[in-house]
Structures are given as structure tokens and as C-alpha cells.
Amino acid sequence: NAGVMQNPRHLVRRRGQEARLRCSPMKGHSHVYWYRQLPEEGLKFMVYLQKENIIDESGMPKERFSAEFPKEGPSILRIQQVVRGDSAAYFCASARGQETQYFGPGTRLLVL
Amino acid sequence: AQSVTQPDIHITVSEGASLELRCNYSYGATPYLFWYVQSPGQGLQLLLKYFSGDTLVQGIKGFEAEFKRSQSSFNLRKPSVHWSDAAEYFCAVGGAPTGGGNKLTFGTGTQLKVEL
């Protein structure tokens, strides 16, 4: 059983470009969480989604960030007009129910 | 609001020595507690979790943790550390699952260095 997949693993963008981060949950998991890890910090919750629904986006910045989890395909975290402060590691976690979350390897975003 | 404190940013131990990583949490209801380990450039791997029942929980790689409600602590222990245990360790707290999900709050991590 494959684990949580994230791609790309590394992403470099220039200021003002868009970043798209993808997360494929483990088989049988319909709950997806996104977290951001800034340098030298712990992970901070961003958003929680179930298929086709955003359940909790209380950790998402109000502007430029959006997330989706369509009926088919991976969950996408989209960052528009990236700025240097968006440089971080973005982790996706999936869960079958709402208890144990399993994390992917992360996408390391670098904004030049 | 829930929070997690890991008071030790860095810890160095000799291989074969015992290890204890501290974690204190703040949560208004019954907490769900987790320890994850992160190797450089990698994702987080679940070491162990506590939901209810026996307050001493066993995890993978020989780790265990003890939930102490009176001290709001969930310290991670290992009797004999191996060089391959060098990594960053994160304690996290969440709540009982509800329809609104179970977002985790993480501590800032403890970096473990193992001396040979």
C-alpha cells in the first residue's frame, strides 16, 4: 500500500508566479490535511478537506492561497503571486477517519 | 486554544544511553497525543499515539511515551538510543474527532543528536 504521495518534492518559483502543490492520499483515505513548516519551526495547520469539500480552512492565509480536493485526482494547494515569505515545506497528511494522520514527504518551495 | 511545548530545542546523547524528550500540552478537553519523527529532508513518520486507555503507550523503533494528565505531559522515552535515531522529534495534540476534523497542533520540535 503506497503512502501519501506529494509532488513535486522541490519547487522553485520567482516572486509573482503561481505554485501548485499536489497530494495523493493513501488508498482508502478520504480526509486530507495541509500543513506548512517554516524554517526552524513546527508544522502549522492550514486546511482540512474531504472529497469536494473544504471543512476547515482556519489556518489558511486570507489571500493568494486556495485548496481543493476534487472527486477524482489529487488534492491541490495553490499559491498565487508567491512572495519570499511563502518559502517553506508544505506537508500533506491523509486519514481514513479523523484520528491518525499519515504524512507525505512534503514539497519544499523556494521563492526567489 | 490548544498548544504544545517542547522545552528542549536540542538534545545530545551518547549511543546506548537512555533518552527522554519532554512534551507539555494545553488542551481544554480529552487530548489525542502523537509523537512524530522527521529525518532531514523527509516527511513525518508516526512513532506512537495516545487516544485513551493505558497511559503508557508503545511505539515503533523501541520508543514509548507516558501520558500524565495531572502534569499535562506526554514525554517520549527510549531505553537505549541508536545512532540512527538522530532526527527531529515533534509532539502534537489534537482533539477527539468531530465532523470538523482533527487538526493537529505541533510543538517546535527537539533535534536529537547521537554521539558515537
Side-chain angles (χ1 to χ4, degrees), chain A residues 9 33 35 37 40-45 48 50 55-56 58-59 91 98-106 108, chain B residues 32 34 36 38 41-44 46 49 51 88 90 95 97-109:
Chain A
R9 294 289 303 275
Y33 298 78
Y35 294 83
Q37 184 180 31
E40 307 299 324
E41 294 187 14
L43 281 73
K44 297 281 196 294
F45 167 79
Y48 163 54
Q50 295 180 24
I55 308 300
D56 181 354
S58 58
F91 291 95
Q98 297 181 52
E99 295 182 346
T100 304
Q101 295 173 32
Y102 296 89
F103 283 79
R108 274 118 185 117
Chain B
Y32 280 35
F34 306 82
Y36 287 88
Q38 183 181 33
Q42 301 299 311
L44 278 74
L46 179 67
K49 60 190 178 186
F51 289 166
E88 189 151 24
F90 291 96
T98 68
N102 188 19
K103 60 186 177 186
L104 298 180
T105 297
F106 284 83
T108 51

Side-chain angles (χ1 to χ4, degrees), chain A residues 25-71:
Chain A
M26 289 176 67
K27 187 176 181 180
H29 288 194
S30 59
H31 301 254
V32 166
Y33 298 78
W34 285 94
Y35 294 83
R36 177 166 64 175
Q37 184 180 31
L38 293 170
E40 307 299 324
E41 294 187 14
L43 281 73
K44 297 281 196 294
F45 167 79
M46 299 181 75
V47 62
Y48 163 54
L49 310 102
Q50 295 180 24
K51 284 284 188 181
E52 300 185 276
N53 287 301
I54 297 174
I55 308 300
D56 181 354
E57 55 182 346
S58 58
M60 287 276 270
K62 299 298 182 202
E63 297 176 348
R64 302 187 296 108
F65 285 72
S66 62
E68 63 179 13
F69 189 15
K71 185 177 181 180

